[in-house]
Amino acid sequence: MIFLEDAHDYLLNKIRPLEALPVPLSEAAGLVLSETAHALELVPPFANTAMDGFAVRAADTVNAPVTLKVTGAIAAGDYASKSLATGQAMQIMTGAPLPPGADAVVMVERTNFDPLKQEVEVQITVAEGNHVRQAGEDVRPGDQLCAAGTLLGAGHLGVLASVGFDTVRAFRRPRVGVISTGDELVDDGAPLKLGQIRDSNRRTLLTLVAESGMVPLDLGIIRDNEADLTRAFSNAAESCDAIVSSGGVSMGEFDFVKVVLDRLGEMRWMQIAIKPAKPFAFGLIGQTPVFGLPGNPVSSMVSYELLARPALLKMAGQQCIHRPRRLAVSRDTLGGHDDGKTHFLRVCGKPDETGRWRVGKLGGQGSHQLTAMAQADALAVVPAGQEITPGDEVEIILLGTVMQ
Ligand code: AMP
Ligand code: MG
């Protein structure tokens, strides 16, 4: 058996980010920027008002209350063609450019406007720059907006849009083919014959791939024979950036997955000191990484989480490739097995009012029992030989796509 960390290092060393391409901003959410983006424009592009009110010359308000002559109104999107002289004011709406000559804004609540006389009484003295958003106050040409390696989210895309970017250079989103292998698998909803089971791994893995921000490609169930497996894996290596398959990587006698993958690619067959998900295969068919996950439904998910997901995120150019870990207080006894393996147990729980996670062990911890995995908020990590008793701290890996 090898340590999980060694398996990690081995495969992450063989993984490179995909190439970077120009991507329209409209398609860039969730992609990773490949080069630092600098501004070419000012934001705001012109001095404008942060409030609805009256544009004034601050010096005119020194002896407030004062009455000023109103010479116009400026809406957002509009601009004043004439400048403001001493003793004058202009009505102005939030976002509208300050008229030349004005240097401050008095909010409407501190004024009294007489529309008939076109006069405004300004009740307070304001300083120069009052409620004015100066040109370039947020961004100036040359400013760094987003560093290379940024995972583009709403705020980043908004900032890029605010300075007129319509494309960015970003790493390509990996297209990940998902294959189920096994003669026992059925996915057409028909009644099961004796010996058959329904394929659940493809559904979970396609969903995990999509949740990881990749493009999932459903490559179906492939029967456990050389011809079908050879065709499926070679086609997948041509058409995908990575392949995630489940089944056929353990010691089974009728598994042709091993034979075929060894012929097609450079594979390493591993026995990792973890439970579940001990058997794992990784290799390259040409340039295409193949992740051979175990067939048991929980094992395939845990194996994806611990090994395939970080590697796929690296392909997508991401730098933060691991799920968040926390220390939690366990309500139950966990671990205590002397089998030399780190145990990843399905637990549920949440932070208490002090923010401290409290977790309990779910029933049905077998690697074939997917229900507990479906209910799990986290995997508790119990190192080989350790026993966690109620009230002890245990490390957990947070799962799922919800904000943690
Ligand atoms: P294997 O890794 O192929 O030896 O499979 C281990 C166990 O996982 C067996 O009980 C299989 O029937 C089961 N299994 C394999 N593939 C799937 C799948 N796609 N969906 C559900 N169970 C599976
Ligand atoms: Mg099998």
Side-chain angles (χ1 to χ4, degrees):
M1 287 197 296
I2 61 167
F3 290 120
L4 178 62
E5 293 69 26
D6 295 335
H8 254 149
D9 291 352
Y10 177 79
L11 70 105
L12 288 175
N13 266 327
K14 296 206 180 280
I15 296 282
R16 297 280 166 271
L18 297 181
E19 71 277 13
L21 302 167
V23 182
L25 225 50
S26 57
E27 291 164 25
L31 296 185
V32 175
L33 205 60
S34 65
E35 58 188 32
T36 300
H38 291 99
L40 297 168
E41 295 181 2
L42 289 169
V43 182
F46 49 85
N48 67 94
T49 175
M51 290 280 176
D52 294 328
F54 288 83
V56 298
R57 299 165 79 102
D60 284 349
T61 68
V62 171
N63 298 317
V66 291
T67 299
L68 303 173
K69 186 76 196 155
V70 176
T71 62
I74 319 157
D78 206 354
Y79 63 91
S81 45
K82 50 185 195 287
S83 67
L84 201 76
T86 305
Q88 295 182 340
M90 280 191 210
Q91 209 172 1
I92 192 164
M93 309 309 155
T94 304
L98 221 61
D103 57 17
V105 171
V106 184
M107 68 198 287
V108 70
E109 293 87 339
R110 297 281 181 268
T111 64
N112 200 356
F113 180 41
D114 182 340
L116 287 177
K117 290 191 184 159
Q118 285 295 301
E119 280 178 3
V120 64
E121 183 198 39
V122 171
Q123 295 157 349
I124 54 166
T125 299
V126 292
E128 228 176 85
N130 190 61
H131 296 320
V132 177
R133 304 189 285 211
Q134 302 296 350
E137 209 171 79
D138 188 15
V139 177
R140 308 195 137 267
D143 281 359
Q144 176 176 316
L145 299 174
C146 303
T150 301
L151 178 60
L152 293 168
H156 307 116
L157 293 171
V159 165
L160 293 165
S162 77
V163 294
F165 275 81
D166 51 13
T167 60
V168 285
R169 277 194 87 79
F171 294 105
R172 202 157 60 72
R173 205 186 288 280
R175 293 157 51 86
V176 182
V178 175
I179 293 176
S180 284
T181 67
D183 287 339
E184 73 280 34
L185 302 176
V186 173
D187 76 345
D188 59 5
L192 293 178
K193 300 199 187 91
L194 184 61
Q196 293 184 327
I197 60 163
R198 302 195 193 280
D199 176 9
S200 59
N201 291 353
R202 223 160 85 248
R203 187 51 45 215
T204 52
L205 291 169
L206 285 165
T207 308
L208 287 171
V209 165
E211 284 177 3
S212 311
M214 319 287 153
V215 182
L217 300 172
D218 184 352
L219 304 183
I221 296 173
I222 310 301
R223 299 297 166 208
D224 221 350
N225 65 71
E226 284 189 50
D228 286 359
L229 287 167
T230 304
R231 197 174 318 115
F233 277 102
S234 6
N235 288 344
E238 292 289 310
S239 58
C240 305
D241 299 308
I243 304 168
V244 173
S245 71
S246 69
V249 298
S250 50
M251 302 296 187
E253 282 211 4
F254 301 109
D255 288 338
F256 285 105
V257 175
K258 229 172 198 158
V259 177
V260 167
L261 284 180
D262 268 336
R263 194 178 307 133
L264 292 177
E266 282 284 313
M267 298 299 297
R268 180 166 169 196
W269 304 87
M270 306 179 210
Q271 299 290 315
I272 306 176
I274 58 174
K275 186 173 177 163
K278 183 170 78 153
F280 174 71
F282 173 76
L284 297 169
I285 301 181
Q287 297 296 309
T288 310
V290 186
F291 303 89
L293 313 184
N296 271 311
V298 179
S299 308
S300 70
M301 283 185 83
V302 170
S303 191
Y304 178 88
E305 288 289 345
L306 298 180
L307 293 151
R309 183 177 178 275
L312 293 173
L313 294 186
K314 184 171 177 190
M315 288 180 81
Q318 295 198 31
Q319 291 168 355
C320 206
I321 59 176
H322 297 295
R323 292 275 198 198
R325 292 183 179 226
R326 300 276 184 277
L327 275 182
V329 176
S330 178
R331 278 196 285 267
D332 300 308
T333 299
L334 305 175
H337 306 282
D338 211 6
D339 55 6
K341 297 179 196 162
T342 301
H343 285 233
F344 292 86
L345 297 161
R346 276 66 75 205
V347 294
C348 66
K350 55 179 189 308
D352 65 15
E353 54 290 347
T354 68
R356 198 171 180 73
W357 277 80
R358 294 185 182 273
V359 296
K361 182 177 166 185
L362 287 156
Q365 292 280 334
S367 60
H368 59 296
Q369 293 174 296
L370 198 50
T371 321
M373 188 69 187
Q375 291 165 354
D377 300 303
L379 295 172
V381 186
V382 184
Q386 271 194 26
E387 185 177 65
I388 307 285
T389 53
D392 283 354
E393 277 194 332
V394 63
E395 189 178 32
I396 58 169
I397 301 174
L398 301 178
L399 298 173
T401 49
V402 285
M403 288 294 291
Q404 309 283 0

